[in-house]
């Protein structure tokens, strides 16, 4: 419907498409070919439109047509309108076929990228593009998966609450906590607003207070885990990031109890991601990160 001077006009979309095509092509016949209609149908649509608007949109001289002043004005508006609709549709099709994700380097390298092919195989019409960064990506249709303080985040945005434990390379001898010094890799976050990793709480629930521990700190969990595997050293880190390595028998744990933390992975304004591809990806990620 088109509103003008207090009067609501019933103008069909098909009539506007017929007019726009005829105005752009300069011919009823060419417009008919483009829209898979007959020239008579194009003429009929345009005549009806002229009747609704009570103006002539074309000067007709036999088979030749030329826009009137009113026709020029409407042609500019319809061409601009249909172009915007077409661009929006193309953008939405692209959005529906690709999921863009930004996240931490550790989650990307240890969980999302190794699992990406699995998602694309079960969703063959959707591809995933993963990039890393600590700040929220401002580009449209990007899903930011962030690491943050669960006490300051909406519960509906959290996709995985984090717990921590001690791990070592597969085949490594169990540590003797009471008999000798133990080197333990851990993480000191770049982001100083994040809660510390809960090492003291872990020592307490496992009855290991007072153990002779030599800490070595990295600024990303990824580095601590990789270096611990390379040097046969223990690492205190996320149970989420070690999941795939445990399943592949590249890491092991030693019967200690994990400890919960105030840290979590979350998606800011998670409910705002409503495209089918985004919903499928977020559901898949939550399943991937679950125990």
């Amino acid at each position: 419907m088109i509103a003008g001077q207090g009067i609501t006009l019933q103008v069909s979309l098909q009539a506007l498409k017929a007019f726009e095509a005829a105005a752009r092509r300069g011919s009823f016949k060419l417009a008919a070919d483009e829209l898979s209609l007959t020239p008579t149908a194009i003429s009929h649509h345009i005549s009806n439109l002229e009747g609704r608007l009570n103006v002539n949109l074309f000067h007709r001289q036999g088979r030749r047509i030329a826009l009137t002043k009113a026709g020029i004005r409407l042609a500019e508006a319809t061409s601009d309108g249909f172009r915007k609709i077409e661009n929006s549709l193309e953008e939405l099709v692209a959005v529906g076929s690709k999921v863009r994700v930004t996240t931490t380097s550790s989650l990307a390298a240890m969980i999302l990228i190794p699992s990406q092919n699995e998602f694309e195989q079960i969703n063959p019409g959707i591809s995933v593009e993963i990039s890393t960064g600590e700040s929220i990506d401002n580009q449209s249709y990007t899903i930011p998966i962030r690491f943050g303080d669960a006490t300051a985040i909406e519960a509906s945005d959290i996709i995985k609450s984090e717990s921590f434990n001690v791990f070592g390379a597969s085949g490594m001898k169990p540590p003797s906590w009471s008999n000798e010094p133990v080197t333990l890799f851990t993480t000191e976050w770049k982001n100083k607003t994040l809660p510390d990793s809960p090492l003291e709480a872990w020592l307490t629930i496992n009855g290991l207070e007072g153990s002779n521990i030599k800490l070595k700190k990295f600024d990303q969990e990824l580095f601590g885990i990789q270096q611990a595997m390379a040097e046969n050293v223990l690492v205190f880190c996320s149970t989420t990031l070690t999941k795939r390595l445990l399943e592949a028998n590249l890491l092991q744990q030693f019967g200690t109890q994990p400890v919960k933390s105030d840290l979590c992975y979350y998606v800011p304004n998670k409910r705002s991601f409503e495209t089918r591809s985004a919903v499928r990806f977020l559901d898949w990620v939550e399943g991937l990160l679950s125990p």
Side-chain angles (χ1 to χ4, degrees):
M1 294 187 297
I2 300 176
Q5 298 181 348
I7 300 173
T8 300
L9 298 174
Q10 296 285 345
V11 175
S12 75
L13 178 62
Q14 189 68 22
L16 288 174
K17 289 177 67 176
F19 166 76
E20 190 277 335
R24 175 166 40 81
R25 303 298 296 272
S27 163
F28 286 0
K29 183 180 185 304
L30 294 177
D33 292 342
E34 179 178 314
L35 299 178
S36 298
L37 297 172
T38 65
T40 300
I42 295 291
S43 179
H44 180 72
H45 280 306
I46 292 173
S47 294
N48 283 343
L49 181 61
E50 290 174 322
R52 290 285 184 181
L53 299 176
N54 199 31
V55 294
N56 290 326
L57 298 172
F58 289 100
H59 297 296
R60 294 167 173 82
Q61 298 176 345
R63 294 185 179 181
R64 297 176 59 189
I65 58 171
L67 288 166
T68 64
K69 289 183 179 180
I72 292 171
R73 181 177 178 184
L74 184 59
E76 291 173 350
T78 54
S79 292
D80 183 59
F82 283 125
R83 183 167 55 251
K84 288 179 178 178
I85 291 171
E86 183 176 348
N87 290 342
S88 295
L89 291 174
E90 289 177 355
E91 183 179 358
L92 289 173
V93 168
V95 168
S97 62
K98 176 175 285 189
V99 175
R100 297 183 67 246
V101 182
T102 60
T103 190
T104 64
S105 298
S106 293
L107 187 68
M110 304 200 70
I111 300 294
L112 296 186
I113 292 175
S115 304
Q116 178 178 345
N117 186 57
E118 173 190 325
F119 174 81
E120 292 177 344
Q121 283 186 335
I122 59 178
N123 296 278
I126 305 173
S127 62
V128 179
E129 178 183 303
I130 300 170
S131 59
T132 60
E134 303 303 321
S135 62
I136 295 175
D137 193 318
N138 291 321
Q139 296 187 48
S140 298
Y141 309 117
T142 298
I143 301 174
I145 301 178
R146 295 288 168 253
F147 192 53
D149 183 348
T151 65
I153 294 165
E154 292 286 340
S156 59
D157 288 344
I158 295 174
I159 59 175
K160 180 65 166 64
S161 295
E162 192 60 286
S163 61
F164 286 73
N165 206 345
V166 164
F167 304 90
S170 181
M172 180 180 175
K173 291 175 58 176
S176 179
W177 296 96
S178 57
N179 297 332
E180 58 188 33
V182 175
T183 298
L184 186 63
F185 291 169
T186 186
T187 310
E188 184 173 353
W189 316 118
K190 290 180 181 179
N191 183 352
K192 301 304 180 184
T193 66
L194 291 174
D196 292 333
S197 57
L199 179 58
E200 293 301 324
W202 181 87
L203 291 169
T204 298
I205 68 168
N206 284 284
L208 296 173
E209 307 100 316
S211 297
N212 187 1
I213 296 175
K214 180 182 178 181
L215 288 179
K216 182 174 181 179
K217 297 181 179 180
F218 295 82
D219 60 9
Q220 292 189 43
E221 288 185 284
L222 167 66
F223 300 147
I225 294 169
Q226 290 177 335
Q227 200 63 27
M229 293 173 63
E231 296 183 20
N232 269 347
V233 175
L234 298 176
V235 59
F236 179 70
C237 64
S238 154
T239 58
T240 297
L241 296 183
T242 56
K243 180 180 177 182
R244 289 181 62 88
L245 295 174
L246 288 170
E247 292 172 351
N249 293 319
L250 296 174
L251 274 184
Q252 62 173 324
Q253 52 185 330
F254 303 97
T256 53
Q257 294 296 313
V259 62
K260 294 181 180 179
S261 74
D262 287 333
L263 293 155
C264 70
Y265 288 100
Y266 71 102
V267 176
N269 301 312
K270 181 160 70 77
R271 292 176 178 170
S272 68
F273 296 94
E274 298 176 336
T275 64
R276 291 184 179 182
S277 55
V279 170
R280 287 182 183 179
F281 181 80
L282 287 171
D283 287 346
W284 175 79
V285 165
E286 291 194 52
L288 184 67
L289 301 185
S290 64

